Amino acid sequence: MKENFVNLRSPRIAGALLAVSLSLFLAVANATSLPPNTAASMLSLDGYQFLLPFPTSPGPRMQVRDNFGNPVADVRVRFQLPNCGSLSVAPYLPSGEVITRADGIADFGTYLAWPPPTNDCPVTMSLPDSPWVAPQTLHFIWVARSEVVLSPLPASSLTVDAGQQFRVGVQLSFRGFPLPGIEVRFSAPGIDGGPSPVASIVALGMTDEAGNAYSDVVAGFEGRVYPIMIGVAGISTAQVTVTQTAAVAAQHASALSPSGLGTIHASLFTTQSRCGFAQTQFFAANLLSAASAPPAHYVFPFGVASLRADNCGVGQGVDFAMDYPRPLPPTAVFWRFGPTPDNRAPHWYPMTSAVIDGSQVRFHVDDGGLGDDDLAVNGSIGVLGGVMTAGGLYQDMWWSGPAENGWGMSVVQHGEALFSVIYAYDALGNPAWYVMPTGSWNADVTVFSGALFTPRGSPFVNYDASRFVPGAPVGRASIAFNSSGSATLDYTINGVSGHKAITRQGFGVAGGANEGTRGDMWWGGSAQNGWGVALLHQYATMFMMWFTYDTAGAPTWFVMPGGAWTSAETYEGHVYRTKGSPWAGAVYDASGLKVFDVGTYRVRFTSESASFDYTIDGHSGTLALERQPF
């Protein structure tokens, strides 16, 4: 999970810190003393001088070796913090020690340096159980952001042809020294929120040992001049100006979306002047024949398009662009129906080469190749397909970002209906949830509003639905969706009002297998009415929230922010309980978040049902799950 509201697996910062707090501290407590005269040396694998360009930076890796040069495991490595500035890893390592792994390496994760140290800050590393091994001194030098230089690569301006793949880059340096291991972001924004001028761009790079980071870009189809922006957090951006030539011919067609949400624009770009649309049809997915009906739980929010381009040149390629009336979520996928070279029977398949950017989808099809529905080299290219989203445009896990790490909101969508649950904390910092099971849209279908409830029930370890009391509404909430990835949450709970800016949580890894059709609101059926499991699905990763009741019957929740597929139908992982800052009407303080690993879970799917096995605080049980209709 990257930047999830429990933030257990962020790879550079929070993941390293929480991994330290949840595992390395325990390892320190259980370490054994080093046998006399075992260790012969201690070596820094990353050198002895570290440039700190940001408040958080990867720390050093110290390796302990014996007299024969072999790594030594289970050895305590202690560091002494400098007196300059406040270079620290506390409170994540209150002991100031890390235990060497099997490879003899003590990995100190991420250093937090704020306020920044001044000039040269020496940090002493030693082996407390081996006083005969000489301590090592590492030097940390704070990098002033104003002195970081971003130099565009290969030049500050480029000229490219329509559809051409090219590379842009940047070099980061400080006083002539390269800055390796720094994340760099690349973007080619459209004008006034319009579509990007490029067909695709690799948005994230990492500087290498020479301080260089690169992005591979595929040029768009229209002739124009535009900047590719290159930036690093907290440092001013650089840019490469691209002059892009136009394709020879372009055709456009428009039609109303079958969903009634606006107009769809279809465009094709080609080097063949006579190539043009011979067919453009848009219709709801449920109008497809039974033989071509999409698989269950695949949702096409803007219907399906049937396009055909003729006179495009035998064996030539065509670029298509589809502009939809609403922004598309980052996990949307363009699905096609038709034969493929490896399966001549028409079937549904994801077009993984399609690029989704904002509200636009772009893809390339070669005459007779993959994606051409007749697979014939005849100068005619047919396309039947549409954008698929898991559940709907807005279904996902939402949060307020790292600054409010610890709470979140699940949104599950069935058609136009949303089922939303806020997972937050009461005045004492204990888990509390507020559910909005129904609601209504405004006239523009951009704001969804409904009543909030906080029911009472019976303990989850022995649930009794007869004791479920939904109660009267405790307030109302409105979710205003601003784009595909951002929204605002306004609420009134027990007379207290508040406002939150929220965004989608990215916990799935793009490019992996798309297994997203199991995302839904699951429950134990009417006989278990009162609790539920919000299961959100991004690519092959699942994120689950179990909202239920504690031993006193008060609302509580458990988070399962990830796991692993142990078989094609079985997903397993850990269950966490959290405590946090008071939420309703209060200024949320993420520093008050406490995370407790309280057990494990396993979900086994069988068609339209599932079994949910859990062990929490020593209590084990199995719950039968099914999709909840609403």
Side-chain angles (χ1 to χ4, degrees), residues 323-358:
D323 289 279
Y324 292 95
R326 297 286 171 86
L328 302 171
T331 53
V333 179
F334 193 79
W335 278 70
R336 297 288 310 281
F337 181 79
T340 55
D342 61 341
N343 183 1
R344 294 285 172 154
H347 60 283
W348 284 97
Y349 63 94
M351 193 170 188
T352 56
S353 61
V355 176
I356 296 179
D357 180 17

mmCIF file of all heavy atoms in Angstrom, residues 323-358:
data_model
loop_
_atom_site.group_PDB
_atom_site.id
_atom_site.type_symbol
_atom_site.label_atom_id
_atom_site.label_comp_id
_atom_site.label_asym_id
_atom_site.label_seq_id
_atom_site.Cartn_x
_atom_site.Cartn_y
_atom_site.Cartn_z
ATOM 1 N N ASP A 323 -12.595 10.873 -26.083
ATOM 2 C CA ASP A 323 -12.728 11.859 -25.015
ATOM 3 C C ASP A 323 -14.099 11.701 -24.375
ATOM 4 O O ASP A 323 -15.131 11.855 -25.053
ATOM 5 C CB ASP A 323 -12.549 13.272 -25.563
ATOM 6 C CG ASP A 323 -11.119 13.558 -25.956
ATOM 7 O OD1 ASP A 323 -10.324 13.871 -25.058
ATOM 8 O OD2 ASP A 323 -10.793 13.446 -27.155
ATOM 9 N N TYR A 324 -14.104 11.402 -23.061
ATOM 10 C CA TYR A 324 -15.343 11.155 -22.336
ATOM 11 C C TYR A 324 -15.763 12.391 -21.543
ATOM 12 O O TYR A 324 -14.920 13.253 -21.230
ATOM 13 C CB TYR A 324 -15.167 9.953 -21.406
ATOM 14 C CG TYR A 324 -14.997 8.655 -22.158
ATOM 15 C CD1 TYR A 324 -13.730 8.145 -22.430
ATOM 16 C CD2 TYR A 324 -16.099 7.957 -22.614
ATOM 17 C CE1 TYR A 324 -13.574 6.957 -23.136
ATOM 18 C CE2 TYR A 324 -15.962 6.763 -23.316
ATOM 19 C CZ TYR A 324 -14.695 6.277 -23.579
ATOM 20 O OH TYR A 324 -14.544 5.108 -24.285
ATOM 21 N N PRO A 325 -17.041 12.491 -21.189
ATOM 22 C CA PRO A 325 -17.525 13.712 -20.517
ATOM 23 C C PRO A 325 -17.105 13.850 -19.059
ATOM 24 O O PRO A 325 -17.290 14.908 -18.475
ATOM 25 C CB PRO A 325 -19.054 13.599 -20.635
ATOM 26 C CG PRO A 325 -19.313 12.134 -20.795
ATOM 27 C CD PRO A 325 -18.151 11.585 -21.542
ATOM 28 N N ARG A 326 -16.552 12.794 -18.468
ATOM 29 C CA ARG A 326 -16.120 12.864 -17.075
ATOM 30 C C ARG A 326 -14.705 12.298 -16.960
ATOM 31 O O ARG A 326 -14.338 11.394 -17.711
ATOM 32 C CB ARG A 326 -17.054 12.067 -16.152
ATOM 33 C CG ARG A 326 -18.478 12.588 -16.100
ATOM 34 C CD ARG A 326 -18.558 13.879 -15.291
ATOM 35 N NE ARG A 326 -19.865 14.501 -15.414
ATOM 36 C CZ ARG A 326 -20.916 14.192 -14.658
ATOM 37 N NH1 ARG A 326 -20.804 13.271 -13.725
ATOM 38 N NH2 ARG A 326 -22.053 14.812 -14.839
ATOM 39 N N PRO A 327 -13.915 12.805 -16.012
ATOM 40 C CA PRO A 327 -12.580 12.223 -15.801
ATOM 41 C C PRO A 327 -12.679 10.756 -15.396
ATOM 42 O O PRO A 327 -13.625 10.341 -14.722
ATOM 43 C CB PRO A 327 -12.002 13.087 -14.662
ATOM 44 C CG PRO A 327 -12.798 14.357 -14.701
ATOM 45 C CD PRO A 327 -14.171 13.967 -15.141
ATOM 46 N N LEU A 328 -11.693 9.984 -15.810
ATOM 47 C CA LEU A 328 -11.676 8.549 -15.544
ATOM 48 C C LEU A 328 -10.749 8.249 -14.371
ATOM 49 O O LEU A 328 -9.698 8.881 -14.233
ATOM 50 C CB LEU A 328 -11.197 7.795 -16.790
ATOM 51 C CG LEU A 328 -12.027 8.030 -18.048
ATOM 52 C CD1 LEU A 328 -11.335 7.425 -19.256
ATOM 53 C CD2 LEU A 328 -13.414 7.437 -17.892
ATOM 54 N N PRO A 329 -11.114 7.289 -13.526
ATOM 55 C CA PRO A 329 -10.231 6.934 -12.402
ATOM 56 C C PRO A 329 -8.942 6.310 -12.907
ATOM 57 O O PRO A 329 -8.892 5.746 -14.009
ATOM 58 C CB PRO A 329 -11.071 5.929 -11.602
ATOM 59 C CG PRO A 329 -12.050 5.391 -12.583
ATOM 60 C CD PRO A 329 -12.345 6.494 -13.549
ATOM 61 N N PRO A 330 -7.883 6.377 -12.116
ATOM 62 C CA PRO A 330 -6.579 5.849 -12.564
ATOM 63 C C PRO A 330 -6.580 4.353 -12.792
ATOM 64 O O PRO A 330 -5.707 3.842 -13.496
ATOM 65 C CB PRO A 330 -5.633 6.250 -11.425
ATOM 66 C CG PRO A 330 -6.516 6.474 -10.240
ATOM 67 C CD PRO A 330 -7.806 6.990 -10.778
ATOM 68 N N THR A 331 -7.535 3.630 -12.210
ATOM 69 C CA THR A 331 -7.584 2.179 -12.395
ATOM 70 C C THR A 331 -8.496 1.758 -13.536
ATOM 71 O O THR A 331 -8.723 0.566 -13.733
ATOM 72 C CB THR A 331 -8.057 1.506 -11.096
ATOM 73 O OG1 THR A 331 -9.289 2.108 -10.675
ATOM 74 C CG2 THR A 331 -7.031 1.655 -9.994
ATOM 75 N N ALA A 332 -9.046 2.713 -14.299
ATOM 76 C CA ALA A 332 -9.887 2.366 -15.438
ATOM 77 C C ALA A 332 -9.070 1.623 -16.487
ATOM 78 O O ALA A 332 -7.870 1.845 -16.643
ATOM 79 C CB ALA A 332 -10.513 3.624 -16.032
ATOM 80 N N VAL A 333 -9.731 0.743 -17.223
ATOM 81 C CA VAL A 333 -9.076 -0.068 -18.251
ATOM 82 C C VAL A 333 -9.965 -0.066 -19.496
ATOM 83 O O VAL A 333 -11.193 -0.149 -19.399
ATOM 84 C CB VAL A 333 -8.868 -1.526 -17.778
ATOM 85 C CG1 VAL A 333 -8.217 -2.364 -18.865
ATOM 86 C CG2 VAL A 333 -8.008 -1.553 -16.510
ATOM 87 N N PHE A 334 -9.353 0.064 -20.673
ATOM 88 C CA PHE A 334 -10.118 -0.016 -21.924
ATOM 89 C C PHE A 334 -10.204 -1.472 -22.348
ATOM 90 O O PHE A 334 -9.187 -2.123 -22.593
ATOM 91 C CB PHE A 334 -9.454 0.819 -23.019
ATOM 92 C CG PHE A 334 -10.346 1.039 -24.217
ATOM 93 C CD1 PHE A 334 -11.349 1.996 -24.179
ATOM 94 C CD2 PHE A 334 -10.184 0.288 -25.362
ATOM 95 C CE1 PHE A 334 -12.179 2.206 -25.278
ATOM 96 C CE2 PHE A 334 -11.008 0.480 -26.466
ATOM 97 C CZ PHE A 334 -12.006 1.445 -26.417
ATOM 98 N N TRP A 335 -11.435 -2.000 -22.403
ATOM 99 C CA TRP A 335 -11.666 -3.400 -22.761
ATOM 100 C C TRP A 335 -12.196 -3.490 -24.181
ATOM 101 O O TRP A 335 -12.957 -2.645 -24.637
ATOM 102 C CB TRP A 335 -12.650 -4.046 -21.781
ATOM 103 C CG TRP A 335 -11.995 -4.506 -20.516
ATOM 104 C CD1 TRP A 335 -11.488 -3.729 -19.525
ATOM 105 C CD2 TRP A 335 -11.768 -5.859 -20.128
ATOM 106 N NE1 TRP A 335 -10.951 -4.508 -18.529
ATOM 107 C CE2 TRP A 335 -11.114 -5.818 -18.874
ATOM 108 C CE3 TRP A 335 -12.051 -7.085 -20.706
ATOM 109 C CZ2 TRP A 335 -10.740 -6.982 -18.202
ATOM 110 C CZ3 TRP A 335 -11.684 -8.246 -20.033
ATOM 111 C CH2 TRP A 335 -11.030 -8.186 -18.792
ATOM 112 N N ARG A 336 -11.788 -4.542 -24.866
ATOM 113 C CA ARG A 336 -12.171 -4.776 -26.255
ATOM 114 C C ARG A 336 -12.915 -6.100 -26.361
ATOM 115 O O ARG A 336 -12.711 -7.027 -25.578
ATOM 116 C CB ARG A 336 -10.919 -4.842 -27.127
ATOM 117 C CG ARG A 336 -10.110 -3.556 -27.168
ATOM 118 C CD ARG A 336 -10.824 -2.496 -27.956
ATOM 119 N NE ARG A 336 -11.237 -3.050 -29.244
ATOM 120 C CZ ARG A 336 -10.416 -3.205 -30.282
ATOM 121 N NH1 ARG A 336 -9.158 -2.820 -30.189
ATOM 122 N NH2 ARG A 336 -10.855 -3.742 -31.412
ATOM 123 N N PHE A 337 -13.793 -6.165 -27.380
ATOM 124 C CA PHE A 337 -14.472 -7.429 -27.689
ATOM 125 C C PHE A 337 -14.159 -7.781 -29.132
ATOM 126 O O PHE A 337 -14.369 -6.974 -30.050
ATOM 127 C CB PHE A 337 -15.977 -7.319 -27.502
ATOM 128 C CG PHE A 337 -16.706 -8.605 -27.787
ATOM 129 C CD1 PHE A 337 -16.740 -9.617 -26.846
ATOM 130 C CD2 PHE A 337 -17.328 -8.813 -29.010
ATOM 131 C CE1 PHE A 337 -17.387 -10.819 -27.107
ATOM 132 C CE2 PHE A 337 -17.989 -10.003 -29.286
ATOM 133 C CZ PHE A 337 -18.015 -11.014 -28.333
ATOM 134 N N GLY A 338 -13.633 -8.988 -29.343
ATOM 135 C CA GLY A 338 -13.322 -9.444 -30.683
ATOM 136 C C GLY A 338 -12.291 -10.547 -30.650
ATOM 137 O O GLY A 338 -11.852 -10.984 -29.578
ATOM 138 N N PRO A 339 -11.881 -11.021 -31.804
ATOM 139 C CA PRO A 339 -10.862 -12.073 -31.860
ATOM 140 C C PRO A 339 -9.472 -11.503 -31.615
ATOM 141 O O PRO A 339 -9.221 -10.319 -31.815
ATOM 142 C CB PRO A 339 -10.997 -12.609 -33.289
ATOM 143 C CG PRO A 339 -11.454 -11.416 -34.077
ATOM 144 C CD PRO A 339 -12.358 -10.641 -33.156
ATOM 145 N N THR A 340 -8.577 -12.352 -31.194
ATOM 146 C CA THR A 340 -7.167 -11.997 -31.038
ATOM 147 C C THR A 340 -6.342 -13.059 -31.756
ATOM 148 O O THR A 340 -6.838 -14.172 -32.018
ATOM 149 C CB THR A 340 -6.765 -11.925 -29.556
ATOM 150 O OG1 THR A 340 -7.104 -13.167 -28.915
ATOM 151 C CG2 THR A 340 -7.486 -10.791 -28.840
ATOM 152 N N PRO A 341 -5.097 -12.747 -32.099
ATOM 153 C CA PRO A 341 -4.294 -13.741 -32.839
ATOM 154 C C PRO A 341 -4.190 -15.088 -32.144
ATOM 155 O O PRO A 341 -4.063 -16.121 -32.824
ATOM 156 C CB PRO A 341 -2.926 -13.047 -32.947
ATOM 157 C CG PRO A 341 -3.244 -11.586 -32.937
ATOM 158 C CD PRO A 341 -4.395 -11.447 -31.982
ATOM 159 N N ASP A 342 -4.253 -15.120 -30.815
ATOM 160 C CA ASP A 342 -4.135 -16.385 -30.100
ATOM 161 C C ASP A 342 -5.486 -17.019 -29.782
ATOM 162 O O ASP A 342 -5.545 -18.128 -29.250
ATOM 163 C CB ASP A 342 -3.347 -16.190 -28.808
ATOM 164 C CG ASP A 342 -4.031 -15.211 -27.856
ATOM 165 O OD1 ASP A 342 -4.883 -14.422 -28.330
ATOM 166 O OD2 ASP A 342 -3.711 -15.223 -26.659
ATOM 167 N N ASN A 343 -6.585 -16.330 -30.088
ATOM 168 C CA ASN A 343 -7.925 -16.855 -29.828
ATOM 169 C C ASN A 343 -8.885 -16.228 -30.837
ATOM 170 O O ASN A 343 -9.329 -15.099 -30.659
ATOM 171 C CB ASN A 343 -8.371 -16.555 -28.396
ATOM 172 C CG ASN A 343 -9.738 -17.144 -28.074
ATOM 173 O OD1 ASN A 343 -10.368 -17.808 -28.908
ATOM 174 N ND2 ASN A 343 -10.193 -16.891 -26.854
ATOM 175 N N ARG A 344 -9.201 -16.974 -31.877
ATOM 176 C CA ARG A 344 -9.996 -16.421 -32.974
ATOM 177 C C ARG A 344 -11.473 -16.278 -32.629
ATOM 178 O O ARG A 344 -12.211 -15.617 -33.353
ATOM 179 C CB ARG A 344 -9.849 -17.310 -34.212
ATOM 180 C CG ARG A 344 -8.425 -17.311 -34.776
ATOM 181 C CD ARG A 344 -8.131 -16.033 -35.514
ATOM 182 N NE ARG A 344 -6.732 -15.905 -35.907
ATOM 183 C CZ ARG A 344 -6.321 -15.183 -36.928
ATOM 184 N NH1 ARG A 344 -7.187 -14.522 -37.671
ATOM 185 N NH2 ARG A 344 -5.038 -15.093 -37.211
ATOM 186 N N ALA A 345 -11.926 -16.879 -31.535
ATOM 187 C CA ALA A 345 -13.310 -16.702 -31.114
ATOM 188 C C ALA A 345 -13.455 -15.337 -30.456
ATOM 189 O O ALA A 345 -12.646 -14.973 -29.596
ATOM 190 C CB ALA A 345 -13.716 -17.801 -30.140
ATOM 191 N N PRO A 346 -14.453 -14.522 -30.828
ATOM 192 C CA PRO A 346 -14.620 -13.199 -30.204
ATOM 193 C C PRO A 346 -14.766 -13.312 -28.695
ATOM 194 O O PRO A 346 -15.515 -14.152 -28.190
ATOM 195 C CB PRO A 346 -15.900 -12.666 -30.862
ATOM 196 C CG PRO A 346 -15.985 -13.392 -32.168
ATOM 197 C CD PRO A 346 -15.452 -14.772 -31.885
ATOM 198 N N HIS A 347 -14.038 -12.491 -27.967
ATOM 199 C CA HIS A 347 -14.069 -12.525 -26.503
ATOM 200 C C HIS A 347 -13.649 -11.163 -25.974
ATOM 201 O O HIS A 347 -13.080 -10.332 -26.692
ATOM 202 C CB HIS A 347 -13.139 -13.611 -25.966
ATOM 203 C CG HIS A 347 -11.697 -13.407 -26.364
ATOM 204 N ND1 HIS A 347 -11.213 -13.703 -27.620
ATOM 205 C CD2 HIS A 347 -10.622 -12.927 -25.677
ATOM 206 C CE1 HIS A 347 -9.929 -13.426 -27.702
ATOM 207 N NE2 HIS A 347 -9.535 -12.939 -26.538
ATOM 208 N N TRP A 348 -13.911 -10.930 -24.699
ATOM 209 C CA TRP A 348 -13.508 -9.688 -24.046
ATOM 210 C C TRP A 348 -12.066 -9.821 -23.552
ATOM 211 O O TRP A 348 -11.679 -10.848 -23.006
ATOM 212 C CB TRP A 348 -14.425 -9.360 -22.867
ATOM 213 C CG TRP A 348 -15.761 -8.814 -23.309
ATOM 214 C CD1 TRP A 348 -16.925 -9.508 -23.452
ATOM 215 C CD2 TRP A 348 -16.046 -7.459 -23.661
ATOM 216 N NE1 TRP A 348 -17.926 -8.676 -23.875
ATOM 217 C CE2 TRP A 348 -17.419 -7.405 -24.008
ATOM 218 C CE3 TRP A 348 -15.295 -6.291 -23.721
ATOM 219 C CZ2 TRP A 348 -18.050 -6.227 -24.410
ATOM 220 C CZ3 TRP A 348 -15.916 -5.119 -24.120
ATOM 221 C CH2 TRP A 348 -17.265 -5.091 -24.460
ATOM 222 N N TYR A 349 -11.290 -8.748 -23.728
ATOM 223 C CA TYR A 349 -9.912 -8.740 -23.241
ATOM 224 C C TYR A 349 -9.483 -7.296 -22.992
ATOM 225 O O TYR A 349 -9.965 -6.358 -23.655
ATOM 226 C CB TYR A 349 -8.974 -9.403 -24.250
ATOM 227 C CG TYR A 349 -8.887 -8.709 -25.589
ATOM 228 C CD1 TYR A 349 -7.880 -7.774 -25.855
ATOM 229 C CD2 TYR A 349 -9.804 -8.990 -26.604
ATOM 230 C CE1 TYR A 349 -7.788 -7.140 -27.093
ATOM 231 C CE2 TYR A 349 -9.716 -8.355 -27.837
ATOM 232 C CZ TYR A 349 -8.717 -7.430 -28.072
ATOM 233 O OH TYR A 349 -8.638 -6.799 -29.291
ATOM 234 N N PRO A 350 -8.605 -7.059 -22.010
ATOM 235 C CA PRO A 350 -8.143 -5.694 -21.741
ATOM 236 C C PRO A 350 -7.106 -5.264 -22.766
ATOM 237 O O PRO A 350 -6.216 -6.041 -23.129
ATOM 238 C CB PRO A 350 -7.523 -5.798 -20.342
ATOM 239 C CG PRO A 350 -7.074 -7.217 -20.246
ATOM 240 C CD PRO A 350 -8.066 -8.031 -21.041
ATOM 241 N N MET A 351 -7.244 -4.039 -23.246
ATOM 242 C CA MET A 351 -6.262 -3.496 -24.177
ATOM 243 C C MET A 351 -5.211 -2.770 -23.355
ATOM 244 O O MET A 351 -5.330 -1.583 -23.046
ATOM 245 C CB MET A 351 -6.930 -2.559 -25.175
ATOM 246 C CG MET A 351 -6.053 -2.204 -26.354
ATOM 247 S SD MET A 351 -6.986 -1.345 -27.637
ATOM 248 C CE MET A 351 -5.751 -1.285 -28.938
ATOM 249 N N THR A 352 -4.189 -3.487 -22.969
ATOM 250 C CA THR A 352 -3.209 -2.962 -22.018
ATOM 251 C C THR A 352 -2.373 -1.833 -22.608
ATOM 252 O O THR A 352 -1.765 -1.061 -21.866
ATOM 253 C CB THR A 352 -2.284 -4.089 -21.544
ATOM 254 O OG1 THR A 352 -1.676 -4.718 -22.684
ATOM 255 C CG2 THR A 352 -3.074 -5.145 -20.765
ATOM 256 N N SER A 353 -2.337 -1.727 -23.934
ATOM 257 C CA SER A 353 -1.553 -0.652 -24.543
ATOM 258 C C SER A 353 -2.287 0.678 -24.567
ATOM 259 O O SER A 353 -1.693 1.712 -24.878
ATOM 260 C CB SER A 353 -1.157 -1.038 -25.981
ATOM 261 O OG SER A 353 -2.321 -1.236 -26.783
ATOM 262 N N ALA A 354 -3.572 0.678 -24.264
ATOM 263 C CA ALA A 354 -4.337 1.924 -24.259
ATOM 264 C C ALA A 354 -3.861 2.825 -23.122
ATOM 265 O O ALA A 354 -3.598 2.356 -22.008
ATOM 266 C CB ALA A 354 -5.827 1.633 -24.117
ATOM 267 N N VAL A 355 -3.761 4.114 -23.391
ATOM 268 C CA VAL A 355 -3.311 5.102 -22.408
ATOM 269 C C VAL A 355 -4.517 5.909 -21.956
ATOM 270 O O VAL A 355 -5.238 6.476 -22.786
ATOM 271 C CB VAL A 355 -2.240 6.033 -23.009
ATOM 272 C CG1 VAL A 355 -1.853 7.121 -22.011
ATOM 273 C CG2 VAL A 355 -1.019 5.225 -23.414
ATOM 274 N N ILE A 356 -4.756 5.942 -20.639
ATOM 275 C CA ILE A 356 -5.846 6.721 -20.069
ATOM 276 C C ILE A 356 -5.254 7.920 -19.365
ATOM 277 O O ILE A 356 -4.408 7.786 -18.480
ATOM 278 C CB ILE A 356 -6.696 5.873 -19.109
ATOM 279 C CG1 ILE A 356 -7.365 4.734 -19.888
ATOM 280 C CG2 ILE A 356 -7.729 6.728 -18.394
ATOM 281 C CD1 ILE A 356 -8.220 3.822 -19.040
ATOM 282 N N ASP A 357 -5.695 9.109 -19.775
ATOM 283 C CA ASP A 357 -5.157 10.353 -19.230
ATOM 284 C C ASP A 357 -6.319 11.308 -19.006
ATOM 285 O O ASP A 357 -6.886 11.835 -19.962
ATOM 286 C CB ASP A 357 -4.136 10.958 -20.193
ATOM 287 C CG ASP A 357 -3.542 12.262 -19.680
ATOM 288 O OD1 ASP A 357 -3.669 12.524 -18.471
ATOM 289 O OD2 ASP A 357 -2.963 13.017 -20.479
ATOM 290 N N GLY A 358 -6.676 11.510 -17.730
ATOM 291 C CA GLY A 358 -7.808 12.389 -17.431
ATOM 292 C C GLY A 358 -9.094 11.785 -17.938
ATOM 293 O O GLY A 358 -9.515 10.707 -17.510
#
